[in-house]
């Protein structure tokens, strides 16, 4: 999983340039795609990195590139940065969002291979994982021509299959709690303190500002779930599947929150 984690020291600040953002609760100003953030220094480091949340750039602390930044910087463009080679900038900034999506797919596919319960489909997963890696290794022009949505559709078929197998084998699949919450999408501001959601299919659910303190989310499918400002203090997410670092970064939590071993406890969480 290490190559699917951000390595900012080997990236040319691509998320700070390639991606647009609008003035909101997450960003202190507007920025169009392809324009460097005013906080980006000449060495590709952020001059307010230690104070991003205080300065109104919370969105920067929740973003996760899944290692796409260093992949594009070091491999796709062979360590040629957009400052020293301005002619590469437009192409580099177009490739980055595509690489970001491909690396996100690699993250989920790799996770499946670590899950023993999904062993029956490991062969299929390895096949499409290899195909996805091959896409990431192509030349910039070819990467820009990838039909990302079509490839994601094929990847998603296996993710759905893995989710079903894993949750069924967890022993929680048929419990009342799993049936009660599976398929429900709107939990915005909901009081779920201490609730048992084990084994539920909560992919794409909205948990914005929800109270999930001490909730049990073991073996729950959380792919695409929105945890912005949700309180996960004391919650148990061990064994939850398809939870990524960006989702965790956008939530609140504390030292008692139990996370899968592949994820890191955010710095802004309470001790």
């Amino acid at each position: 999983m290490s190559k699917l984690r951000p390595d900012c020291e080997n990236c040319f600040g691509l998320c700070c340039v390639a991606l647009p953002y609008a003035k909101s609760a997450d960003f202190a100003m507007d920025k169009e795609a392809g324009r460097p953030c005013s906080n980006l220094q000449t060495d590709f480091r952020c001059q307010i990195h230690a104070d991003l949340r205080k300065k109104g750039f919370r969105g920067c602390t929740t973003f996760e590139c899944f290692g796409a930044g260093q992949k594009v910087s070091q491999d796709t463009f062979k360590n040629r940065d957009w400052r020293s080679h301005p002619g590469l900038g437009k192409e580099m900034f177009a490739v980055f969002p595509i690489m970001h999506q491909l690396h996100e797919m690699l993250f989920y596919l790799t996770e499946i291979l670590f899950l023993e319960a999904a062993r029956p489909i490991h062969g299929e997963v390895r096949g499409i994982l290899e195909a996805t890696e091959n896409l990431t290794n192509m030349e910039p022009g070819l990467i820009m021509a990838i039909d990302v949505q079509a490839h994601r559709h094929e990847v998603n078929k296996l993710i759905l299959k893995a989710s079903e197998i894993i949750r069924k084998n967890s022993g929680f699949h048929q419990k009342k709690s799993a049936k009660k919450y599976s398929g429900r999408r709107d939990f915005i501001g909901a009081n779920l303190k201490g609730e048992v959601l084990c084994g539920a299919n909560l992919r794409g659910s909205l948990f914005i500002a929800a109270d999930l303190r001490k909730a049990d989310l073991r073996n729950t499918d959380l792919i695409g779930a929105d945890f912005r400002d949700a309180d996960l203090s004391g919650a148990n997410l061990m064994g939850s599947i398809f939870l990524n670092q960006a989702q965790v970064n956008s939530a609140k939590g504390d030292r008692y929150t139990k996370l899968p071993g592949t994820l890191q406890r955010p710095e802004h969480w309470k001790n």
Side-chain angles (χ1 to χ4, degrees):
M1 284 285 200
S2 59
K3 68 177 182 179
L4 300 175
R5 294 193 181 100
D7 179 5
C8 298
E9 293 300 317
N10 286 300
C11 174
F12 300 136
L14 297 184
C15 64
C16 307
V17 186
L19 306 179
Y21 52 72
K23 187 174 182 178
S24 62
D26 290 323
F27 295 101
M29 61 184 184
D30 296 324
K31 189 189 83 66
E32 61 189 25
R35 178 167 64 85
C37 173
S38 58
N39 295 310
L40 187 67
Q41 301 177 122
T42 56
D43 62 355
F44 306 112
R45 305 280 77 81
C46 175
Q47 64 180 353
I48 62 167
H49 181 74
D51 299 305
L52 282 166
R53 298 180 76 86
K54 294 179 182 178
K55 299 286 188 179
F57 289 87
R58 182 176 63 170
C60 297
T61 69
T62 63
F63 180 72
E64 169 73 26
C65 81
F66 299 101
Q70 66 261 26
K71 176 70 175 182
V72 172
S73 300
Q74 301 300 322
D75 296 342
T76 311
F77 287 88
K78 300 176 175 56
N79 199 27
R80 294 174 295 171
D81 69 82
W82 51 271
R83 289 196 193 278
S84 302
H85 302 82
L88 296 177
K90 185 176 181 180
E91 192 174 47
M92 187 178 293
F93 305 148
V95 166
F96 175 69
I98 298 171
M99 188 69 75
H100 177 229
Q101 294 184 68
L102 294 174
H103 269 234
E104 182 183 17
M105 294 180 221
L106 288 174
F107 177 86
Y108 295 131
L109 292 169
T110 302
E111 179 177 347
I112 296 172
L113 293 180
F114 279 100
L115 299 170
E116 183 62 28
R119 182 171 290 277
I121 63 169
H122 279 184
E124 293 178 79
V125 173
R126 288 191 184 94
I128 198 163
L129 186 147
E130 182 179 352
T132 307
E133 286 186 328
N134 289 340
L135 292 177
T136 70
N137 292 325
M138 296 194 303
E139 295 297 317
L142 295 176
I143 292 175
M144 292 167 63
I146 295 171
D147 187 338
V148 179
Q149 294 310 311
H151 188 72
R152 185 183 290 278
H153 180 71
E154 295 305 311
V155 170
N156 196 46
K157 288 180 183 178
L158 281 179
I159 290 175
L160 286 168
K161 187 183 290 188
S163 173
E164 188 70 20
I165 293 171
I166 293 163
R167 288 184 297 107
K168 185 175 182 179
N169 289 342
S170 71
F172 297 119
H173 188 61
Q174 295 300 322
K175 289 186 178 293
K176 290 182 180 179
S177 58
K179 293 181 178 180
K180 176 181 178 181
Y181 291 110
S182 286
R184 182 177 166 186
R185 295 292 174 260
D186 186 358
F187 296 94
I188 297 175
N191 181 7
L192 297 168
K193 183 179 179 180
E195 285 292 305
V196 177
L197 295 87
C198 297
N201 178 5
L202 297 172
R203 55 190 290 125
S205 295
L206 302 177
F207 289 100
I208 300 170
D211 185 352
L212 286 158
R213 288 175 294 169
K214 298 184 179 180
D216 193 342
L217 293 142
R218 288 174 295 159
N219 294 103
T220 302
D221 185 344
L222 297 173
I223 193 169
D226 191 337
F227 285 101
R228 280 177 293 170
D229 291 324
D231 194 342
L232 294 171
S233 299
N236 187 355
L237 294 101
M238 294 292 291
S240 60
I241 52 177
F242 307 131
L243 179 69
N244 67 46
Q245 192 66 49
Q247 291 168 290
V248 172
N249 290 347
S250 68
K252 301 173 184 176
D254 62 14
R255 60 177 175 170
Y256 299 109
T257 306
K258 297 179 180 178
L259 295 172
T262 55
L263 302 179
Q264 298 177 337
R265 193 175 306 277
E267 293 181 2
H268 66 272
W269 280 16
K270 294 179 291 186
N271 293 323

